[in-house]
Amino acid sequence: MAVNDTQIQDIVRKVLAQLQTEPQISGKPLMGVFEDMNDAIRASKKAQKEIRALSMDSRERIISNIRKKTIEHAETMARMGVEETQMGNVGDKILKHKLVAEKTPGTEDIVTTAWSGDRGLTLIEMGPFGVIGAITPSTNPSETVICNSIGMIAGGNSVVFSPHPGAAKVSNFAVDLVNRASVEAGGPNNLAVSVVKPTMETSNIMIKHKDIPLIVATGGPGVVTTVLSSGKRGIGAGAGNPPVLVDETADIKKAAQDIINGCTFDNNLPCIAEKEIVAVEKIVDELTYYLIENGGFVISREDQNRLIATVFKDGKLNRNCVGRDARTLLSMIGIDAPANTRCIIFEGEKENPLIAEELMMPILGIVRAKDIDDAIEKAVWLEHGNRHSAHMHSKNVDNLTKFGQAIDTAIFVKNAPSYAALGFGGEGFCTFTIASRTGEGLTSARTFTKQRRCVMSDSFCIR
Ligand code: NAD
């Protein structure tokens, strides 16, 4: 059979595309990563039937192998993530992968509710949705793929990922890892699937597909709105702009250290990270002193204007600045900051765009407040009603309660860095999908199940 020029070009294009997009664990092609979204969904549907037939014990074996492989490949994924997205830092990304591996709940998170009495026994059993569609961000790409996979598989689901196009390589590496872990543990292939080249088009195919009843969107306001308008059940983990409030009763030295640690973790990429400070007047100077001691670098009003012109382009966030460290950002405005610089700080009005906008950069504006009531009012304004995350340093229980009630966020960390909310230096489980918009809060396996009432009439009550 003769092959014409167009066909040869087509073959060469496909081979080159594969070579460019195939990071491999063991020299083999990526498992679960398809050219075509419809093929991926078909394979996922088959995998879901297979996992549904397996015992809970088998699901748990698959999950523990995912945990093991995530720890083994934490550094690889951290390096790939930084290289591909140019955001964040390798050391913190290693910690994030380990956290996901160790503290994302598995099948133990799925609990049964029971009533028994004269009329028998009734159970609420938590069963799978089936094939879940998950849209994942560029800021915690492989962490979210692994975290969502563990929770969704624990619930008996399979998952079709639509990763951020700018983080496709590392996200697909994680998809492959999940499938290798499953097959090695005796489970099905394609429990997690994705496409080689995710685009808006492939994402829309996934959102509209008849075999996908639930969409989980982790990202900015655009994607959450799209998913919530899809006519399907949607879980929306959207944007935040977490303020951290400091009052006069706080341990100011510790507060400064915690704030800098939380704000600079992975160069401020986590959506929960401290994005601006609101402090009562009395302690602003002392707090600033300790912020500087912890690597804060104070910039002038002129430098702020230069920074505004750099981090915003045509009214939008300049993606070249997102997730960069403080020294790199300062070098972009011509400042050669000392090596111990960790965070850019300045005092400003709450309307300053470096304060009011969610930047995902280690830049902390300090807003001065007259007293606690003024501080609460300013912090609530800065959170923009996202109801995502807020933090506070205080020893006054009444102030803590007042702020907690007023800000009404899914996460409220007291007297610790923001990452304590993810179980890092705090109690509780880890997740990288915080459903602020739709109210599920910190998602876990049980979020990805649906209730089934199971009634046995007049029997099985043995009281
Ligand atoms: P992003 O919104 O640019 O992208 C997120 C995902 O949505 C990507 O996969 C992208 O391809 C897709 N997407 C974007 N617009 C879409 C649309 N209209 N239709 C369909 N898909 C669309 O976000 P990002 O820059 O990767 O991540 C940062 C943002 O995500 C921040 O706002 C951050 O606060 C938020 N975030 C929230 C959580 C959470 O748990 N609540 C976690 C991580 C990130």
Side-chain angles (χ1 to χ4, degrees):
M1 187 186 78
V3 181
N4 65 30
D5 281 356
T6 317
Q7 286 168 318
I8 291 171
Q9 276 167 11
D10 198 37
I11 293 165
V12 170
R13 194 175 43 78
K14 279 187 180 156
V15 171
L16 281 178
Q18 275 208 329
L19 285 174
Q20 280 161 6
T21 50
E22 276 188 5
Q24 292 157 350
I25 291 182
S26 58
K28 295 178 191 146
L30 292 179
M31 292 171 77
V33 181
F34 292 75
E35 290 286 337
D36 181 86
M37 182 52 97
N38 284 303
D39 291 344
I41 296 172
R42 209 170 296 118
S44 181
K45 195 175 172 188
K46 182 169 171 288
Q48 202 272 325
K49 283 203 176 113
E50 288 170 42
I51 183 114
R52 191 75 179 93
L54 293 179
S55 65
M56 295 288 276
D57 200 36
S58 307
R59 283 189 212 169
E60 204 42 56
R61 269 201 300 276
I62 295 168
I63 289 167
S64 37
N65 209 23
I66 296 174
R67 297 188 197 283
K68 181 169 159 269
K69 282 191 179 300
T70 301
I71 291 173
E72 278 167 18
H73 295 285
E75 187 172 341
T76 308
M77 287 187 276
R79 288 194 186 286
M80 283 177 77
V82 172
E83 195 180 310
E84 185 177 12
T85 65
Q86 298 291 302
M87 299 192 295
N89 67 71
V90 173
D92 290 341
K93 283 196 190 293
I94 293 175
L95 293 174
K96 281 162 78 178
H97 283 87
K98 289 189 173 161
L99 188 66
V100 160
E102 286 162 2
K103 293 193 102 174
T104 305
T107 54
E108 76 284 0
D109 190 55
I110 297 162
V111 285
T112 299
T113 311
W115 295 267
S116 81
D118 295 341
R119 296 307 310 270
L121 174 69
T122 293
L123 304 176
I124 299 284
E125 288 279 69
M126 307 305 289
F129 274 91
V131 183
I132 299 179
I135 301 174
T136 53
S138 56
T139 46
N140 321 304
S142 38
E143 299 93 317
T144 309
V145 167
I146 288 164
C147 180
N148 282 178
S149 295
I150 291 177
M152 290 171 187
I153 292 169
N157 308 282
S158 61
V159 46
V160 178
F161 283 105
S162 178
H164 193 288
K169 219 166 149 184
V170 68
S171 305
N172 285 343
F173 184 98
V175 166
D176 173 87
L177 180 149
V178 168
N179 291 310
R180 278 179 205 280
S182 172
V183 171
E184 246 178 56
N189 187 11
N190 298 325
L191 271 183
V193 297
S194 171
V195 287
V196 176
K197 210 170 173 299
T199 59
M200 280 297 183
E201 199 189 328
T202 60
S203 183
N204 280 329
I205 293 173
M206 190 267 273
I207 292 171
K208 290 190 183 132
H209 201 283
K210 66 176 177 33
D211 290 331
I212 298 186
L214 169 66
I215 320 275
V216 179
T218 311
V223 62
V224 174
T225 302
T226 303
V227 163
L228 296 185
S229 324
S230 70
K232 293 187 179 179
R233 168 97 197 266
I235 295 179
N241 188 37
V244 52
L245 197 159
V246 188
D247 77 8
E248 65 275 25
T249 69
D251 177 341
I252 306 297
K253 189 175 175 186
K254 179 177 180 299
Q257 193 179 18
D258 286 352
I259 291 170
I260 296 277
N261 285 343
C263 168
T264 56
F265 187 61
D266 206 17
N267 299 348
N268 200 247
L269 285 179
C271 52
I272 62 158
E274 294 83 348
K275 301 279 191 277
E276 65 278 339
I277 299 174
V278 182
V280 296
E281 211 153 34
K282 253 189 217 164
I283 51 91
V284 169
D285 293 345
E286 189 186 351
L287 183 68
T288 307
Y289 171 83
Y290 285 116
L291 289 170
I292 295 167
E293 268 216 335
N294 283 279
F297 184 92
V298 183
I299 56 166
S300 65
R301 182 67 234 187
E302 238 176 37
D303 294 336
Q304 288 168 47
N305 288 338
R306 269 201 288 273
L307 204 53
I308 292 169
T310 306
V311 305
F312 297 101
K313 284 273 175 265
D314 306 322
K316 282 196 194 144
L317 214 52
N318 176 359
R319 300 297 298 196
N320 286 333
C321 296
V322 174
R324 297 299 182 106
D325 62 70
R327 288 187 76 208
T328 305
L329 291 168
L330 288 166
S331 74
M332 289 179 181
I333 56 164
I335 296 175
D336 182 18
N340 64 354
T341 302
R342 297 174 66 199
C343 187
I344 299 168
I345 61 171
F346 61 93
E347 202 181 313
E349 295 301 314
K350 68 180 188 327
E351 292 78 10
N352 182 323
L354 295 175
I355 298 177
E357 299 294 324
E358 184 200 34
L359 301 180
M360 295 175 285
M361 301 167 206
I363 299 174
L364 274 177
I366 306 164
V367 179
R368 192 179 279 256
K370 282 199 303 285
D371 53 27
I372 185 67
D373 292 321
D374 187 33
I376 291 175
E377 202 182 311
K378 287 185 162 126
V380 169
W381 184 88
L382 282 162
E383 215 274 324
H384 306 307
N386 291 315
R387 306 277 191 269
H388 191 299
S389 297
H391 316 295
M392 184 164 176
H393 292 266
S394 169
K395 298 235 169 95
N396 181 321
V397 177
D398 293 338
N399 287 354
L400 287 162
T401 309
K402 219 196 277 187
F403 183 43
Q405 285 175 350
I407 196 104
D408 193 24
T409 43
I411 285 174
F412 180 31
V413 173
K414 274 84 76 185
N415 300 326
S418 50
Y419 46 65
L422 304 182
F424 193 54
E427 290 300 324
F429 66 86
C430 166
T431 182
F432 278 93
T433 296
I434 295 133
S436 41
R437 281 270 295 269
T438 47
E440 291 81 359
L442 283 85
T443 60
S444 62
R446 68 180 71 178
T447 321
F448 309 123
T449 55
K450 54 184 183 185
Q451 294 193 10
R452 277 123 176 159
R453 181 176 279 218
C454 187
V455 181
M456 168 62 85
S457 179
D458 297 331
S459 297
F460 284 150
C461 174
I462 49 169
R463 287 192 206 172

